[in-house]
Amino acid sequence: MKSSPHRPSFFPCSFFVYIAALAIVPVSAIAQSPRPTITLDEFLNTTDIAGARISPDGTAAVIGTENPDWKASNYRHTLWLWTASDGLRPLTQSGSDEGAEWSPDGKWIAFLSDRPLAAEDDSDSKDADSGDSGGRRLRAGDSGDDETTRLWLIPISGGEAQPLYREKLDAHSFAWSADGKSIYVSVTKPLTDEQKEAQKEEWKDVVRWREQERGDLLLALPVAASLVSTSAQPMAHAAKDSSGKSNRKKSKKDKTGESENRLPASALTLAETKLEIADIAPSPDGKSIAFETGSINHRMENPADFEVFLVSSAPGGQARQLTHNDAMESGLRWSHDGQWVHFGVHAAEGSLEGKYRDIQGRHYRMNPVDGKIERLGAEFTGSLEDFDILPTGEIVALGIKGTEQQLYLISGQKATKLPGTAGWYAGISAPRSGGSLLVRFSSINNPGQVYLASDALHPDHLTALTHFNPIFGERAQPEWAPYSWKSSDGTSVEGVLIFPPGQKSARHLRMLTFIHGGPADADGNRFGADWYDWATLAASNGWLVFRPNYRGSTGYGDDFMLQIAPHLVSKPGEDILSGVDALVKDGYADPNRLAIGGYSYGGYMTNWLITETTRFKAAVTGAGAVEHAANWGNDDGTWDDAWYLNGRPWESPEMYQAEAALFRMNRVKTPTHIVQGSSDVRVSYLEGVTLERALQQLGVEHSFLVFPGEGHSLARNPWHGYIKLREELKWLDKYVSK
C-alpha cells in the first residue's frame, strides 16, 4: 500500500574526499579511549549503493552510488568501476548517471543520464517532450522537474561517455541485444512539431487530465551506427522569438507527419503501446523481446496496466500479451535455453493465484509460446524478492524470513537456503560465465557494501569491493536483539530492539516505538542511515528503539500478512501496543518515558495510535493519512486501498470511517511533530494539513514542517532530510527526558 519510500543516503561528492575518508583510525588509538557516538552530520553523510552489476565474465563490476551535494542542495548519482587489477575508481562524474548495464562482450557500459549535451544547456534539457498531462509523466512522489533522460555509453578501455542519440526522447528502460549489436530502449511516443505547436496554441498551460497521455515506443538502436551519428558536431539550438516559438526552419515531414530527427535516424520501431514500457528482456536467440508494461502516469490505478508482452525483434511485428492477472510483474529474465521467461512479483504487489491481495513475494516462470505459468519455490514460507539466473541455469533469489534476508537456491517448489552470514543480502547479479556472484550485504551496524562471492553457492565467503562509510566503524555502536511477544488475540509477533551503545543490559530505558512503512516491509538485521531509517541514530542518542513487525509485515507467511485486511490500522495497532506492554512488563522500557513515530504507513499507525492511548509523551509522524476516502482519491495507488478496506469508499463507508484517525482526534493529548512533502502523491500533502488543523483546533501541542518540491520520498534536497531528522530528535528530547 504505502510502500516505504526509496531511502536516499549521502556521500561527499569529491573522489578525493572519498579517498581521505578511507583512512581508518588506528585500532590502538580507538582502544585507548571510549568511542564517541555518531553525530547527525556524520550519520547523514553516508553513501548509498544504488545498484551494482557484474561483468559478463565475472571479473569486473560497475557500481552506482547516491550521495548529497550539500552546496548544490541535491543528490549526485555516480558510477564506479571495480576491477581486480585497479580496485575501485570513478567511472563517471556528471552527478546524474545510473542504471548501468554491461554490453555482452564486456567492452561497454550503457547507462541512463539527464546530463545535458555539449550544445544543450539545462533549460534546453528541461524542454524535453516526455508526453503526459502537462508535458511530463507524474511519478509516485515526483516533484515536477522534466529533464531529458537519454541513453549513454562509455567504453571500458577509456574515453568519454557518448549519448546514443541526441533527440529529446526520455528513456524509461533499456536492454542490450544478445549479440550486443543493438540496444532496445523505450521512449515516450513523440509529437510532431505541428502537433506540439497546435497543442500549445489551443490549450496554453491547461492540463487535460488523462487526455494528453501518450504511450511508449520500443525502439531498436544499432550501437555502431548510433555512435557514429552522435559523434558528429552537436546540433545548434535555434533562437526563439518573443512569443517563445522557434525561429528554426520547419523540417521536412515524411508521409506520417513526423518531423525529421524526432526519432533517431537509425532507430527501428518494434512496438507501440498505450502504456509505459518499464522492463525489457531480449531472448537469448535474438528473435524476440519480452517487455513489461506499467502505468503511463505512474498512478497505480489498475493491475491490468502491469502485464508482460512478447514482440519480434524484427520490425513490423505485433506485440502479443502473455499475462492477464492482478499482479505487478517485475525483473523479466529469460532462461539460458530460451524456453522460459522468469519474473517475480514483489510483496504487496498482488499474485497470479486469483484476485488482488497483498501477499508475500513470489517467483514464476512462463512458457512464452503458450503463456503457461508455473510458480517456483512455493514451499518457502517467507517472501521471495529479487533473483538472478546463474550460468548453470540455477536460480538464486533473495528471501525475507523473520529479521533477515538471505539467499536461496530455487529448484521446482523448493527453496534451499544457501550458507550465509547473518544480516541482509541484496542486489544480486550473476555473470554470463564463471561461478561467481555479485551481492550487496549489510547488518544493523555494518553499512552496505558490494561483495564478490567467488562461488555463487557459498555467499558466506565474500570479498569486499567497496569500503564506504568507515566512520560507522569508528563510532560507538548500538547493540540489538530480536524480541517476540503475544498480541492481544494470542498471535505471535516479532520485532527488533536496538539498545543505546553499552546499555544492552540496562533496564527501564526511555523507548521510541519506531514503525516501519509499507506495511509490506520488515525491520531486521540490516543497515539504515538516512532521513527515513534513523533507528541507530536514535539509539546513539539514548533511546531504546522498538521496531515491531506487526501483522501486514513480510517474512512471516501469507496468513500473517493477510490479517491486516480489512482492519488496516486497528489490527496492527493491537500488535504494536501489546509489544509496548510486554516491554514495559519485562522491564526494558520505562512506562513514563515512551515515544512513538514513523513515516508513510508508519505515519498512518502513529496517527492512529495517539488516538488509542495517551501513554506516549511525544510523537513524530510523516506522510501518514488520517482518513481514507480522500486519500483513496489522491493516492497514486488505489486498488490496494480498496483491498485493505473491503472496497472503494462508497462500497465500504463504515470501514473507511472506523479505521480512520480523523474521527477519533478528540482523544489525542500527545504532542505531535508532523512532516510532509508538498508534492507527495503517495500520501497527499493535504492529509498532513488535515492532521495539523485537527491538532490546532483541539489545542494539542504540535509542529508542522512542509518540504517544498518533495514527493513521498525526500529525494530532491538533502537539507530537507537533515532538517527533518534534526527537528524530530529535538522534539523527542523536549518531551521525554534522557
Side-chain angles (χ1 to χ4, degrees):
M1 182 186 176
K2 311 301 163 223
S3 60
S4 51
H6 172 67
R7 301 188 272 278
S9 35
F10 315 85
F11 195 67
C13 59
S14 166
F15 174 63
F16 299 102
V17 173
Y18 161 74
I19 293 297
L22 291 182
I24 305 297
V25 176
V27 174
S28 59
I30 296 174
Q32 292 174 2
S33 61
R35 295 184 180 185
T37 57
I38 198 154
T39 67
L40 174 62
D41 288 48
E42 292 169 336
F43 187 81
L44 290 183
N45 204 37
T46 62
T47 191
D48 178 59
I49 298 173
R53 304 296 295 169
I54 196 168
S55 64
D57 63 3
T59 64
V62 58
I63 298 165
T65 60
E66 182 179 78
N67 57 273
D69 185 332
W70 298 102
K71 291 183 179 180
S73 297
N74 60 22
Y75 292 96
R76 295 181 59 82
H77 296 87
T78 303
L79 298 179
W80 305 72
L81 180 66
W82 177 88
T83 60
S85 57
D86 298 329
L88 189 68
R89 64 175 177 83
L91 182 66
T92 67
Q93 300 186 47
S94 82
S96 62
D97 308 325
E98 52 192 337
E101 293 288 347
W102 290 87
S103 62
D105 62 7
K107 296 180 179 180
W108 295 86
I109 289 175
F111 60 92
L112 298 174
S113 179
D114 62 7
R115 58 168 78 182
L117 301 180
E120 177 181 60
D121 61 25
D122 289 334
S123 61
D124 289 329
S125 180
K126 292 180 182 180
D127 283 336
D129 175 31
S130 59
D132 82 315
S133 303
R136 74 181 180 91
R137 293 177 184 247
L138 184 63
R139 297 177 183 271
D142 203 359
S143 59
D145 272 2
D146 179 28
E147 298 178 341
T148 308
T149 299
R150 295 182 177 91
L151 188 59
W152 293 70
L153 271 71
I154 189 168
I156 297 303
S157 58
E160 295 296 321
Q162 187 173 329
L164 203 61
Y165 59 86
R166 296 187 176 277
E167 291 72 19
K168 290 184 179 179
L169 297 170
D170 196 25
H172 307 140
S173 181
F174 74 91
W176 290 88
S177 64
D179 60 10
K181 294 181 179 180
S182 297
I183 294 183
Y184 305 113
V185 59
S186 61
V187 299
T188 306
K189 182 181 178 182
L191 294 174
T192 66
D193 288 339
E194 289 181 346
Q195 289 171 329
K196 292 182 71 175
E197 294 292 346
Q199 181 170 285
K200 291 178 182 178
E201 182 68 25
E202 183 174 3
W203 295 103
K204 309 305 181 188
D205 59 350
V206 174
V207 174
R208 292 177 293 143
W209 196 257
R210 300 191 195 279
E211 292 181 46
Q212 281 179 242
E213 296 173 353
R214 304 194 309 280
D216 271 8
L217 300 178
L218 177 62
L219 304 179
L221 294 173
V223 174
S226 298
L227 289 176
V228 169
S229 175
T230 58
S231 64
Q233 183 69 23
M235 297 177 295
H237 290 276
K240 295 181 179 180
D241 62 24
S242 58
S243 67
K245 296 181 179 179
S246 174
N247 286 327
R248 182 182 58 195
K249 292 183 179 180
K250 297 296 182 181
S251 57
K252 182 180 179 181
K253 307 292 192 299
D254 62 20
K255 293 181 180 179
T256 64
E258 292 286 349
S259 302
E260 287 182 348
N261 298 322
R262 181 61 64 186
L263 290 177
S266 58
L268 298 176
T269 300
L270 304 182
E272 179 179 345
T273 77
K274 295 180 180 180
L275 299 165
E276 182 181 80
I277 297 175
D279 198 4
I280 303 170
S283 63
D285 63 8
K287 295 181 180 180
S288 57
I289 304 162
F291 64 87
E292 179 209 354
T293 57
S295 169
I296 190 172
N297 50 40
H298 300 102
R299 296 188 300 270
M300 295 178 288
E301 298 172 313
N302 187 355
D305 290 343
F306 302 86
E307 303 293 357
V308 179
F309 291 76
L310 191 71
V311 70
S312 171
S313 59
Q318 185 70 31
R320 177 167 57 93
Q321 185 171 341
L322 297 179
T323 61
H324 301 80
N325 53 63
D326 283 350
M328 298 171 62
E329 300 87 350
S330 62
L332 299 182
R333 286 179 176 81
W334 289 79
S335 61
H336 297 319
D337 60 9
Q339 299 300 305
W340 301 95
V341 176
H342 290 257
F343 60 88
V345 175
H346 289 141
E349 293 185 353
S351 77
L352 276 62
E353 282 89 59
K355 292 291 185 181
Y356 181 87
R357 5 175 245 170
D358 274 0
I359 52 179
Q360 299 192 107
R362 306 278 203 253
H363 183 89
Y364 300 95
R365 70 176 185 178
M366 175 173 55
N367 185 319
V369 177
D370 59 17
K372 181 181 178 182
I373 297 175
E374 298 179 20
R375 180 183 170 192
L376 303 180
E379 294 180 3
F380 182 60
T381 57
S383 184
L384 291 176
E385 299 297 319
D386 294 335
F387 70 96
D388 210 341
I389 302 176
L390 302 179
T392 59
E394 296 170 296
I395 302 164
V396 175
L398 298 169
I400 303 174
K401 195 168 185 180
T403 59
E404 296 200 350
Q405 181 165 274
Q406 294 284 318
L407 289 170
Y408 291 82
L409 187 66
I410 308 299
S411 178
Q413 300 303 301
K414 295 183 178 180
T416 304
K417 183 180 176 297
L418 296 175
T421 303
W424 204 269
Y425 286 79
I428 54 179
S429 176
R432 290 192 168 204
S433 61
S436 61
L437 185 71
L438 197 71
V439 299
R440 302 200 302 272
F441 177 80
S442 74
S443 58
I444 283 182
N445 285 317
N446 294 292
Q449 308 290 354
V450 179
Y451 295 87
L452 185 66
S454 58
D455 182 349
L457 301 183
H458 286 84
D460 52 336
H461 298 150
L462 300 173
T463 299
L465 307 190
T466 63
H467 301 276
F468 296 118
N469 310 316
I471 191 67
F472 286 89
E474 301 166 16
R475 297 291 178 260
Q477 296 181 333
E479 298 177 87
W480 78 281
Y483 182 76
S484 299
W485 69 97
K486 296 286 187 181
S487 189
S488 55
D489 63 359
T491 299
S492 295
V493 188
E494 184 181 40
V496 171
L497 293 179
I498 304 178
F499 297 85
Q503 297 189 52
K504 191 173 183 179
S505 60
R507 293 295 182 266
H508 305 292
L509 296 166
R510 67 172 185 168
M511 186 175 79
L512 170 64
T513 298
F514 193 37
I515 308 169
H516 69 70
D521 197 359
D523 285 320
N525 187 14
R526 64 180 178 188
F527 182 80
D530 53 43
W531 60 269
Y532 173 81
D533 191 348
W534 46 276
T536 55
L537 180 65
S540 296
N541 279 266
W543 290 92
L544 169 64
V545 181
F546 171 43
R547 312 196 76 177
N549 286 334
Y550 48 81
R551 267 172 280 195
S553 301
T554 52
Y556 297 93
D558 287 344
D559 290 343
F560 185 86
M561 195 169 178
L562 287 167
Q563 288 181 55
I564 196 173
H567 303 289
L568 175 57
V569 288
S570 60
K571 182 62 70 175
E574 293 174 7
D575 296 343
I576 294 168
L577 292 183
S578 296
V580 173
D581 288 340
L583 287 162
V584 169
K585 181 180 179 181
D586 289 346
Y588 287 101
D590 183 342
N592 298 313
R593 295 190 298 157
L594 301 176
I596 192 168
Y599 191 91
S600 190
Y601 180 80
Y604 274 58
M605 286 308 311
T606 299
N607 299 343
W608 172 264
L609 289 173
I610 61 176
T611 72
E612 281 280 279
T613 179
T614 58
R615 76 184 73 183
F616 299 111
K617 306 305 180 185
V620 290
T621 180
V626 291
E627 57 75 51
H628 305 298
N631 193 58
W632 172 87
N634 294 319
D635 187 357
D636 72 320
T638 56
W639 75 74
D640 62 343
D641 290 309
W643 177 80
Y644 277 111
L645 292 164
N646 269 1
R648 292 166 292 187
W650 55 90
E651 296 168 333
S652 184
E654 298 84 4
M655 191 60 67
Y656 273 72
Q657 179 164 333
E659 292 290 311
L662 180 62
F663 302 102
R664 304 152 49 94
M665 293 302 294
N666 58 308
R667 305 179 183 188
V668 177
K669 306 296 181 184
T670 306
T672 302
H673 180 82
I674 313 162
V675 298
Q676 194 87 32
S678 69
S679 299
D680 194 346
V681 296
R682 177 60 51 83
V683 179
S684 172
Y685 152 73
L686 295 176
E687 293 292 321
V689 173
T690 302
L691 174 59
E692 190 280 334
R693 176 166 293 176
L695 297 177
Q696 188 271 336
Q697 293 283 310
L698 294 166
V700 177
E701 293 181 80
H702 67 281
S703 175
F704 185 27
L705 301 181
V706 179
F707 302 112
E710 294 285 8
H712 195 57
S713 176
L714 306 184
R716 286 179 55 80
N717 186 340
W719 288 109
H720 292 159
Y722 184 95
I723 292 168
K724 170 191 178 289
L725 188 44
R726 181 191 69 193
E727 295 306 306
E728 286 175 329
L729 289 169
K730 287 167 60 176
W731 187 266
L732 293 173
D733 282 343
K734 178 180 178 180
Y735 293 99
V736 186
S737 61
K738 290 187 178 181

